[in-house]
Amino acid sequence: MGREVRLVQGNQAMTEGAIYAGARFYAGYPITPSSEIAEECSKVMLKVGGVYMQMEDEIASIAAVIGASLAGAKAFTATSGPGFSLMQENLGLAVMGEVPCVVINVQRRGPSTGLSTKPAQGDIMQLRWGRHGDQSVIALCPATVSECFAMTVTAFNLAEKFRLPVIVAPDEIVAHMREAFSLPEPGEVEVIDRKKPSGSPKDYKPFVADADGVAPLAAYGSEYVFHVSSSMHGPDGYSNNDPANAAWRVAQLHRKIEMHRDEIVITRSFAAEDADVLLIAFGATTRASRAAALELRKRGIKAGVLQLITLWPFADREVATLADKVKTVIVPEMNYSGQVAGEVQRVLGSGADIRRVNSYNGEVITPQEILRAIV
Amino acid sequence: MWCSGCGIGVMLGAMLRAFEELGYRNADTVVVTGIGCTGKADDYLVTHALHTTHGRALAYATGIKAFNPKLHVVVLMGDGDSVTIGGNHFIHAARRNIDLTAIIINNFNYGMTGGQVSATTPGGSYTSTTSWGNPERDFDICALAEVAGANYVARETPYHGWEMKELIKEALNKKGFSLVEVFSPCPTHFGKNNEMRQTREMLDWLKEKGLPVEQYRKLSVAEQGNHFAIGKLVDRDAPDFNTRYEEIRVRATAPEGIGGRCEAK
Ligand SMILES: Cc1ncc(C[n+]2csc(CCOP(=O)(O)OP(=O)(O)O)c2C)c(N)n1
Ligand code: SF4
Ligand SMILES: [Mg+2]
């Protein structure tokens, strides 16, 4: 029997990815352009034995997600700029307490309420630095409906494996676009669950990492009784103000990402190997960039595309390796400040020919606009 | 950790005795705390615990309980935590009637950060940020819980430790949202700022003002203004969040066309 192919929206595909990955708890507060995720979850969670909750705000939503995760759920929420800002403080607790969870932030044009139905890529730095207190997270950015599904599964896998929040941050175009999609069979795509403790419950310490840099995580209600805290804590989860302990804790939170950097950083390249012109793109701009690269090739200019799927940690090595061979780098992005271009500049140094193509009027970047940067 | 004469320890003792008398196991119990002197309590506990962010403890607890209804979930908060920064979560937890027990230490100010004004500081009182008296009115936390839909509401002072334990036990046994508010001395800040420097003076103040609810209800409205009620104030049995959720789930999982309106695949 042939596999069913449907016309599916990005938001729908992310919801299906979450359910496929085993998500059984969703708490959120509706906001355009992410609301379809809440609406779909409100239907499907009840059917699969999970829980959907509409909370009183986004602060409560991420709090409930973290609480449910510690009770053993794979849990997630979805929002957009204004709600994502409200989540930051509690997201910091998920980093500090090493609580797996997934946040979908469908990026819309700001600042503030801005153009609530229009796309943007203006939250790149907020994804990375939005929380106070010197911390690292993982952020992924899909560009197609299939990637919306796949990267949501990946987000859960990374969150579970490394005990941290993972953010999926498509722009409004990708979230609302419809494309042909077929749902993989169960087992076809790898699904990872968090490591559980073994051995005597008496000896369980929720913050003592194994050799892979990650500690097993029990669930509330299990015999492995444990404490999680937003305050600085020792290996046992109880308050600890010793400077040596603080240094160990803070470093551990960053180090587990650094250790597994190669597994976390996902990029794709298109005709980039022999390119003289490299377009570095992510989300919806990937599509315009591929069209622009094809057009440039037709005109005899060897152009290629590097797509950043993982935005954070930044793909320093991948950018440096490819950009080393090209004459010109173009970074199209839907923001004024060139948030990704700035990172590319950091990696390549001030001498590199980096051209920025920015849109910040709530409209997409067209292939023609990209072409104008080079011809 | 707590100053001498602080009421938080009395509450913690009463809570632990209540756990013991009800046979709560550490593995089945989660204590969720906010931020403040009260929020520090988790460091003295051997149950599961989650020390959260200022004002958000109830929202974290809601996620825990909604996902695993078998757990006993108890939430410890200060007055700043519960009804000032966290007021929105408080009324919504009560409205949902989620089966949590909230224990609030109301010491009429922000103890941990140096005795600043809170939403429960009585009008006219002195704090480190109301040097000439508080121009604002205060919340009645119990009344707020009642109108928002809590199944059980009680108030006590550390003067009555045994009664406090009994009220906490009732609250724990009650399905749905339950609240025990503890009017509590903070001699270090609220006491010092309001001419009750000695622990004794603060306790005497609470003792004189607090009247058993039956007695309190017989007073004229004017007289009630000089007192507060202690004991059990609300006791009812509206269905809790998880019970209602499972009722709705039956519709979602029923064969096509029965009960629900949802056409989702
Ligand atoms: C978001 C945020 N704002 C402010 C603070 C600083 N802060 C810590 S505890 C506290 C007030 C505590 O008062 P209360 O909740 O009444 O607890 P108490 O110390 O009186 O028991 C404040 C304002 C904080 N930790 N987080
Ligand atoms: S400052 Fe007040 S509330 Fe805090 S421990 Fe001291 S007496 Fe208790
Ligand atoms: Mg207080």
Side-chain angles (χ1 to χ4, degrees), chain B residues 137-154:
Chain B
R137 292 187 292 180
D138 55 331
F139 264 143
D140 178 335
I141 300 181
C142 289
L144 200 56
E146 178 173 7
V147 294
N151 260 359
Y152 182 94
V153 178

Side-chain angles (χ1 to χ4, degrees), chain A residues 17-232:
Chain A
I19 299 295
Y20 186 96
R24 292 298 178 267
F25 187 89
Y26 178 97
Y29 190 88
I31 182 167
T32 303
S34 74
S35 296
E36 292 85 1
I37 299 173
E39 288 166 3
E40 182 59 18
C41 274
S42 76
K43 294 171 190 153
V44 76
M45 276 297 178
L46 281 102
K47 288 180 178 280
V48 298
V51 175
Y52 165 88
M53 291 191 83
Q54 184 166 312
M55 298 300 288
E56 50 272 23
D57 58 27
E58 289 85 350
I59 301 173
S61 301
I62 184 66
V65 161
I66 293 167
S69 177
L70 289 170
K74 286 190 182 178
F76 79 120
T77 185
T79 187
S80 185
F84 190 57
S85 294
L86 284 181
M87 290 182 184
Q88 297 299 337
E89 186 198 8
N90 285 341
L91 258 181
L93 182 145
V95 172
M96 182 63 149
E98 302 194 59
V99 186
C101 58
V102 171
V103 176
I104 296 171
N105 173 34
V106 181
Q107 296 182 77
R108 69 187 216 184
R109 170 108 311 268
S112 193
T113 306
L115 292 167
S116 56
T117 61
K118 301 284 190 174
Q121 297 173 319
D123 300 349
I124 310 305
M125 285 297 159
Q126 196 192 9
L127 297 171
R128 174 65 186 86
W129 300 108
R131 296 143 300 284
H132 64 279
D134 184 22
Q135 44 177 276
S136 299
V137 296
I138 297 171
L140 308 175
C141 180
T144 67
V145 168
S146 294
E147 279 178 12
C148 281
F149 175 88
M151 286 310 116
T152 306
V153 177
T154 301
F156 274 96
N157 286 347
L158 296 174
E160 292 284 314
K161 200 164 174 184
F162 301 125
R163 276 186 66 174
L164 42 65
V166 177
I167 304 154
V168 184
D171 47 75
E172 182 274 341
I173 301 170
V174 173
H176 275 163
M177 175 172 64
R178 287 173 197 274
E179 288 182 308
F181 171 72
S182 67
L183 186 66
E185 297 293 328
E188 209 174 308
V189 178
E190 186 187 25
V191 166
I192 297 172
D193 296 332
R194 64 191 72 169
K195 266 190 302 186
K196 295 270 172 221
S198 52
S200 164
K202 277 202 316 298
D203 302 330
Y204 176 53
K205 296 227 169 18
F207 298 99
V208 173
D210 296 334
D212 65 354
V214 186
L217 180 60
Y220 289 153
S222 80
E223 295 301 315
Y224 294 89
V225 177
F226 68 107
H227 281 208
V228 168
S229 179
S230 62
S231 293
M232 191 55 73

